[in-house]
């Protein structure tokens, strides 16, 4: 006799069988689809490699005109075939090749220098040689930069690259020394930082524009870097360098008083005061209110910097909601100044920012 329980169990068994069949079909279809995708990917890679080799063949063919060779690799980011990269690097060293070909060969095959010790040594020698064509020396310096940041050079050769770049930090070629100093500064190299700091202090030298030197020193603050940046803030070689110094000094607690003085200084430009507010806002926002009163009351200051100061203090207060705190006299004075601006500010944008500040208090 067929009972309900036996019928139910039989139904479950049949359903399980159907489900298993569907699952197997689905897995089979998925596997087939994956195989198709892999085949398409392989075909695409093979086609790209074939196109790359064809372009490299034209570029490496001395029988072709320089224009045709360069045109063949116009949209090629790099040469992929190992044999072709070796040939391209040989073109870099070939003084009979046009300079444009030598530069382009390095751009296409420079990535392979990390695994070719002999070629790397030769290329380093070309950079050290002042008689090497300037565009090629600059391209080599840029290639060393890419090798260093990419970590694709063997550890045993890392110091060789650094030493070579140090050797051209004061090169007569502006492009070469700029790339060398930029690369070394990004590496946190002490020798480069010292050169940049001295360059800022010496009015008779300018290895790189002052604002560039300040930006490079700011990459790794500390040591002799911070005093040099403070000197630029106090006695700037130009306005942009002073602004860069203000940005950079926010991370130095000992420089916060200097930044507050900049914010208070009604003779300072809006751009400089904005940089000082920004530096404090990123590192010590609680110090803005004490310095910003002269700024808020300065109707000659630009709207943007005054509104930025208001919003910076407002953001800090919103972040501290629920925390026990006692307002300092400076903070109370700041609140009073903003409340006055709500109706007295000449600028409608400043009035609106003040109203928003008061409303959210």
């Amino acid at each position: 006799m067929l009972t309900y329980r036996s019928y139910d169990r039989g139904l479950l068994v049949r359903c399980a069988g159907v489900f298993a069949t569907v699952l197997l079909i689905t897995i089979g279809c998925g596997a087939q689809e994956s195989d198709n995708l892999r085949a398409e990917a392989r075909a695409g890679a093979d086609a790209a490699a074939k196109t790359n080799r064809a372009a490299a063949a034209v570029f490496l063919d001395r029988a072709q005109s320089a224009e045709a060779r360069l045109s063949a690799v116009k949209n090629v980011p790099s040469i992929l075939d190992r044999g072709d990269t070796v040939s391209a690097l040989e073109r870099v060293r070939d003084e009979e090749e046009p300079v444009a070909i030598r530069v382009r060969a390095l751009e296409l095959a420079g990535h392979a220098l990390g695994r070719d010790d002999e070629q790397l040594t030769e290329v380093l020698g070309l950079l050290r040689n002042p008689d090497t064509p300037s565009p090629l020396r600059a391209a080599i310096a840029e290639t060393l930069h890419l090798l260093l940041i990419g970590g694709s050079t063997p550890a045993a050769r890392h110091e060789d690259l650094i030493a070579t770049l140090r050797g051209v930090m004061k090169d007569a070629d502006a492009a070469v020394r700029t790339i060398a100093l930029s690369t070394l500064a990004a590496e946190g190299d002490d020798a480069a930082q010292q050169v940049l700091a001295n360059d800022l202090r010496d009015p008779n030298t300018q290895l790189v524009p002052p604002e560039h030197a300040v930006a490079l020193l700011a990459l790794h603050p500390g040591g002799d870097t911070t005093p040099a940046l403070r000197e630029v803030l106090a006695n700037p070689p130009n306005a942009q360098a002073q602004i860069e110094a203000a940005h950079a000094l926010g991370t130095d607690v000992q420089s916060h008083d200097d930044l507050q003085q900049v914010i208070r200084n009604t003779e300072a430009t809006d751009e400089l005061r904005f940089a000082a507010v920004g530096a404090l806002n990123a590192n010590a926002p609680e110090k803005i209110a004490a310095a910003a009163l002269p700024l808020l009351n300065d109707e000659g200051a630009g709207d943007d910097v005054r509104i930025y100061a208001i919003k910076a203090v407002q953001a800090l207060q919103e972040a501290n909601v629920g925390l026990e705190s006692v307002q300092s006299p400076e903070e109370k004075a700041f609140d009073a100044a903003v409340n006055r601006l709500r109706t007295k500010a000449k600028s409608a944008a400043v009035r609106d920012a003040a109203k928003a500040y008061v409303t959210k208090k």
Side-chain angles (χ1 to χ4, degrees), residues 6-352:
S6 61
Y7 173 79
D8 188 48
R9 186 164 51 248
L11 179 61
L12 288 175
V13 170
R14 288 194 298 275
C15 287
V18 172
F19 175 75
T21 302
V22 171
L23 181 61
L24 288 172
I25 293 172
T26 302
I27 292 172
C29 290
Q32 182 63 47
E33 185 176 353
S34 296
D35 289 342
N36 292 339
L37 289 174
R38 281 193 289 270
E40 289 176 10
R42 281 195 298 270
D46 290 343
K50 184 176 180 180
T51 300
N52 189 275
R53 290 220 65 189
V58 175
F59 177 73
L60 296 170
D61 186 358
R62 297 175 188 273
Q64 301 281 342
S65 68
E67 290 77 11
R69 294 168 72 184
L70 292 170
S71 179
V73 292
K74 181 179 180 180
N75 297 314
V76 176
S78 61
I79 289 176
L80 303 176
D81 180 78
R82 188 157 190 167
D84 289 343
T85 60
V86 171
S87 297
L89 290 174
E90 290 172 352
R91 300 293 193 273
V92 174
R93 298 157 49 193
D94 190 343
E95 294 182 1
E96 295 185 2
E97 287 279 22
V99 173
I101 293 291
R102 298 173 74 184
V103 170
R104 188 70 179 113
L106 183 63
E107 292 171 348
L108 292 166
H111 62 88
L113 283 171
R115 61 173 182 261
D116 193 324
D117 201 58
E118 181 181 349
Q119 294 273 28
L120 178 58
T121 298
E122 293 289 341
V123 167
L124 293 178
L126 288 174
L127 177 56
R128 287 191 290 265
N129 184 358
D131 293 330
T132 300
S134 177
L136 181 56
R137 294 183 75 218
I140 293 171
E142 183 63 34
T143 299
L144 298 189
H145 169 76
L146 295 174
L147 289 173
L148 285 169
I149 65 173
S152 55
T153 305
R157 299 305 305 269
H158 183 271
E159 283 304 315
D160 291 339
L161 269 65
I162 294 295
T164 300
L165 289 170
R166 285 176 180 162
V168 296
M169 287 189 299
K170 299 181 180 181
D171 199 85
D173 189 310
V176 169
R177 68 173 181 262
T178 297
I179 297 170
L181 283 166
S182 299
T183 302
L184 291 168
E187 291 282 306
D189 183 71
D190 290 340
Q193 289 182 328
Q194 188 64 52
V195 166
L196 289 166
N198 290 339
D199 190 43
L200 282 171
R201 292 187 175 109
D202 189 345
N204 298 314
T205 68
Q206 185 172 300
L207 296 175
V208 294
E211 61 273 21
H212 190 178
V214 171
L216 291 176
L217 286 175
L219 294 175
H220 292 276
D224 194 44
T225 297
T226 301
L229 295 176
R230 287 181 192 151
E231 290 171 26
V232 171
L233 185 65
N235 300 293
N238 63 39
Q240 191 56 45
Q242 189 179 32
I243 290 169
E244 290 289 345
H247 281 302
L249 287 169
T251 58
D252 176 49
V253 175
Q254 301 302 317
S255 297
H256 287 180
D257 287 347
D258 297 331
L259 293 173
Q260 288 177 302
Q261 283 298 113
V262 168
I263 297 171
R264 293 186 184 102
N265 184 4
T266 57
E267 299 298 318
T269 65
D270 287 345
E271 292 80 8
L272 179 59
R273 296 170 93 178
F274 201 108
V277 173
L280 285 181
N281 191 39
N283 297 279
E286 69 280 1
K287 295 182 179 180
I288 294 175
L293 273 178
L295 174 60
L296 293 186
N297 295 324
D298 183 3
E299 289 291 351
D303 289 356
D304 288 345
V305 67
R306 298 170 79 194
I307 292 170
Y308 185 26
I310 292 170
K311 289 188 175 181
V313 175
Q314 179 180 327
L316 177 63
Q317 292 177 348
E318 290 174 355
N320 290 336
V321 168
L323 300 178
E324 290 188 11
S325 62
V326 177
Q327 269 197 320
S328 67
E330 293 82 4
E331 290 169 333
K332 291 178 180 178
F334 185 92
D335 284 356
V338 175
N339 189 50
R340 184 188 61 80
L341 290 176
R342 191 168 49 89
T343 56
K344 302 296 184 181
K346 293 179 181 179
S347 164
V350 173
R351 290 198 302 271
D352 288 343

